[in-house]
Structure formats: C-alpha cells, structure tokens
Amino acid sequence: MPITRTKERFGVFKEGLHHGVWAVRVIRDHGASYPSGDHPRLDLRGYKRILQALLDAGRGRDPGPSLCYAVFNIGKKTGKLLGSARFGYFHL
C-alpha cells in the first residue's frame, strides 16, 4: 500500500529520524557488543540504497515500498546527523 498522503510520509520520516538519533547513542555505547563488530562510521552503501529506492519509485518499480524505504531512511540518516551532533560521536 503506497504512502500517498503527506501526513503519512511525514510520520514515516519522523519515525526514521527517531531511530537515527538514538542509533548513534546505542552504537557509541554498545558498538563493540554487536555481532558484526565494526560499524563503519560513514556507510556509503546506505546512501546508495536510498538513491536506488528513489529511482525505483520514480520508475514505477514497486513504488509504495520503495518510497516508504527511501523516506524512512532519509529520516534515519538525518537523525544520525543530529544524533552525531547531540552525542558527540560521528556515525552517519
């Protein structure tokens, strides 16, 4: 089901923002205890996936989930930027 209303998109963005801000603190405080060990502080693959999802939505290739993924993760990356400033730990 595509998210068509601006209010729904904002809600998805806001949820991503919340996840991003607090993810920085969790990684800062507990990063060593994650099974994968190292978390890159700047994950360029995440930005590539967002761009791909936006392109897929624009091309009509599964537009609902693609747009939802992109909006959530744009919010999450924005939240990570804000969280990095708030918690003094760079993690984008």
Side-chain angles (χ1 to χ4, degrees):
M1 176 159 89
I3 52 170
T4 54
R5 287 189 258 154
T6 304
K7 187 175 182 182
E8 291 171 347
R9 283 188 211 131
F10 181 71
V12 171
F13 176 84
K14 192 170 135 182
E15 189 68 25
L17 188 76
H18 181 78
H19 279 249
V21 168
W22 293 106
V24 173
R25 183 170 178 196
V26 169
I27 294 296
R28 182 194 70 182
D29 295 347
H30 306 286
S33 63
Y34 277 86
S36 63
D38 266 345
H39 282 277
R41 288 190 172 205
L42 179 61
D43 183 17
L44 295 177
R45 291 174 300 168
Y47 293 99
K48 184 179 175 185
R49 287 189 297 264
I50 291 169
L51 181 60
Q52 187 61 50
L54 287 171
L55 290 172
D56 287 347
R59 293 179 186 143
R61 193 178 312 151
D62 208 13
S66 295
L67 185 59
C68 186
Y69 176 88
V71 169
F72 177 83
N73 282 293
I74 289 169
K76 190 170 181 180
K77 293 296 184 183
T78 304
K80 284 187 171 194
L81 180 67
L82 296 173
S84 292
R86 179 176 180 182
F87 299 117
Y89 182 80
F90 178 75
H91 189 269
L92 298 176

